[in-house]
Amino acid sequence: MTISLAQLRRCSAAVDLGAARTRVYVKNQGLVVDEPTVAAINTRTGALLAVGAQAEVMDGRTPDYIRVVRPVSGGTVVDIDMAQRLLRTLVGDKLRKSWRRRPTMRAAVCLPYGSEPLAQRAAVETLTGLGARRVELVDTLVAAAVGSGLPVEQPEATMIVVCGAGTTQVAVLSLGSIVAAENVPVGGNAIDHAVVQHLRLHHELMLAGQSVRPLHLILTGGDELTPGSTEVHGRDVVSGMARSVHIDTERVRDAITTPLTAILDGISAVLRRCPPDLVADLGERGIVLAGGSALIPGLEPMIHQATSMPVHTADRPDTCAVMGLGAMIEGKVQPLHLDPMAP
């Protein structure tokens, strides 16, 4: 992974290829793309019908010859050709032409901690297909910490928890590097699956995929704002007819406790591998949550109760990684210079 800020300053674009959303930051322009990582194709002709938000609306509502695909899974590109077509459409013709005018155009991309060489190569090939002559790889944990405003370049402990759609990454950083990290295969998709299974087992209701996120918003509210029960529409498991049921929001919160426990295990594993001095720093500074799934209900109080540390959520947790990477290519991050001592 790239750790040289001098190399990153030569990049003209920063890309965050997430399992849920794709974000592109262009130097001197800011965030220009923030769309779902979804594409709809015609299986008969191979034509690309829609990308981003338009394709996401089609999910579960298409005829047999239209397929909705997600070329990124768990932060790893699993379909290079489709990822290139998706990015090419999202970036747009005008921006793509401006990139091709630069024969030495460089791009930076976020990758999950501990990515395999095959995953790194897939990300590089995806961006080189858009015209990038060189691709710099950066850990998502470092980029998200910078985007959250944490002083990662100082000799102080900063703990970041990046909650993505497919995985949750936990790390303690100091002096611009990762001291200890853990990749937990639990994210927002696992929470959605727990909600769907709860409704199917206890209410015999199959919930549409588009209905899970609004249910999350209801669960995220405070005790005074959240109703004791809410109405959910779906399909009856036995009859197959449309049906509505009133569910207890507290029971749904209990259902998602099991996947959230895996995140707590990852945090505990990272803290056990950290030096005592850094853990003492974390007792005062606390833990910062980032990522698109950082607002899942019950996560922040659960981490606080398990660790007895202050837990804060970043101002814009969903865009922390790409904005942090953008700050690096803009030259807004100054490293702490450590000169070797004279003999």
Side-chain angles (χ1 to χ4, degrees):
M1 297 284 184
T2 299
I3 58 174
S4 174
L5 291 176
Q7 295 179 8
L8 290 176
R9 291 193 188 100
R10 300 175 184 175
C11 298
S12 58
V15 180
D16 180 15
L17 279 172
R21 299 187 72 87
T22 294
R23 299 176 176 92
V24 179
Y25 183 102
V26 178
K27 198 171 186 177
N28 300 324
Q29 295 187 32
L31 188 64
V32 297
V33 173
D34 187 359
E35 293 281 344
T37 313
V38 186
I41 60 172
N42 188 328
T43 57
R44 297 174 180 174
T45 62
L48 187 65
L49 302 179
V51 296
Q54 294 181 350
E56 189 177 40
V57 175
M58 298 180 184
D59 194 9
R61 305 170 184 268
T62 61
D64 294 338
Y65 66 92
I66 296 178
R67 186 164 58 99
V68 177
V69 298
R70 298 178 182 271
V72 180
S73 176
T76 301
V77 178
V78 295
D79 190 340
I80 296 177
D81 179 65
M82 187 55 61
Q84 289 179 348
R85 297 175 68 182
L86 173 70
L87 274 175
R88 191 175 295 114
T89 305
L90 291 177
V91 168
D93 294 335
K94 183 178 180 181
L95 192 58
R96 209 166 59 244
K97 290 178 182 178
S98 66
W99 285 1
R100 287 180 177 176
R101 294 194 194 102
R102 304 178 182 179
T104 59
M105 197 276 285
R106 298 190 179 194
V109 62
C110 296
L111 283 180
Y113 172 78
S115 296
E116 298 292 335
L118 187 61
Q120 298 179 16
R121 181 179 177 182
V124 171
E125 291 186 4
T126 300
L127 292 181
T128 52
L130 262 70
R133 300 300 184 266
R134 183 181 175 91
V135 179
E136 306 293 348
L137 306 179
V138 181
D139 275 303
T140 303
L141 291 165
V142 178
V146 173
S148 302
L150 298 176
V152 295
E153 71 280 359
Q154 299 298 323
E156 301 174 358
T158 55
M159 191 168 194
I160 185 81
V161 178
V162 181
C163 307
T167 60
T168 297
Q169 304 171 65
V170 186
V172 173
L173 300 96
S174 180
L175 289 173
S177 300
I178 296 175
V179 178
E182 188 78 15
N183 203 337
V184 183
V186 172
N189 293 339
I191 306 300
D192 294 349
H193 181 72
V195 173
V196 171
Q197 289 300 312
H198 171 78
L199 294 176
R200 181 166 185 171
L201 294 176
H202 295 85
H203 299 277
E204 296 183 349
L205 188 75
M206 294 187 66
L207 188 66
Q210 301 293 334
S211 303
V212 178
R213 292 302 176 182
L215 184 58
H216 276 194
L217 296 178
I218 296 175
L219 297 174
T220 306
D223 295 335
E224 298 179 357
L225 300 177
T226 304
S229 64
T230 184
E231 188 177 7
V232 177
H233 306 279
R235 190 184 72 181
D236 189 271
V237 175
V238 179
S239 65
M241 304 296 291
R243 185 164 65 93
S244 300
V245 296
H246 285 82
I247 63 172
D248 186 2
T249 55
E250 195 62 35
R251 287 181 176 271
V252 178
R253 283 198 184 97
D254 294 339
I256 65 177
T257 302
T258 301
L260 292 182
T261 305
I263 300 178
L264 297 181
D265 295 339
I267 294 176
S268 301
V270 171
L271 291 176
R272 285 195 298 268
R273 296 202 300 266
C274 281
D277 293 341
L278 294 181
V279 177
D281 291 344
L282 295 175
E284 300 178 359
R285 178 165 297 167
I287 304 171
V288 176
L289 303 181
S293 300
L295 298 176
I296 54 181
L299 179 60
E300 186 173 325
M302 182 179 291
I303 295 177
H304 173 69
Q305 183 178 3
T307 61
S308 300
M309 295 180 181
V311 182
H312 313 283
T313 303
D315 294 336
R316 288 293 306 275
D318 52 342
T319 59
C320 281
V322 69
M323 296 304 292
L325 197 54
M328 293 181 187
I329 67 175
E330 295 276 9
K332 297 179 181 178
V333 179
Q334 299 298 328
L336 181 65
H337 296 286
L338 299 177
D339 296 327
M341 299 180 63

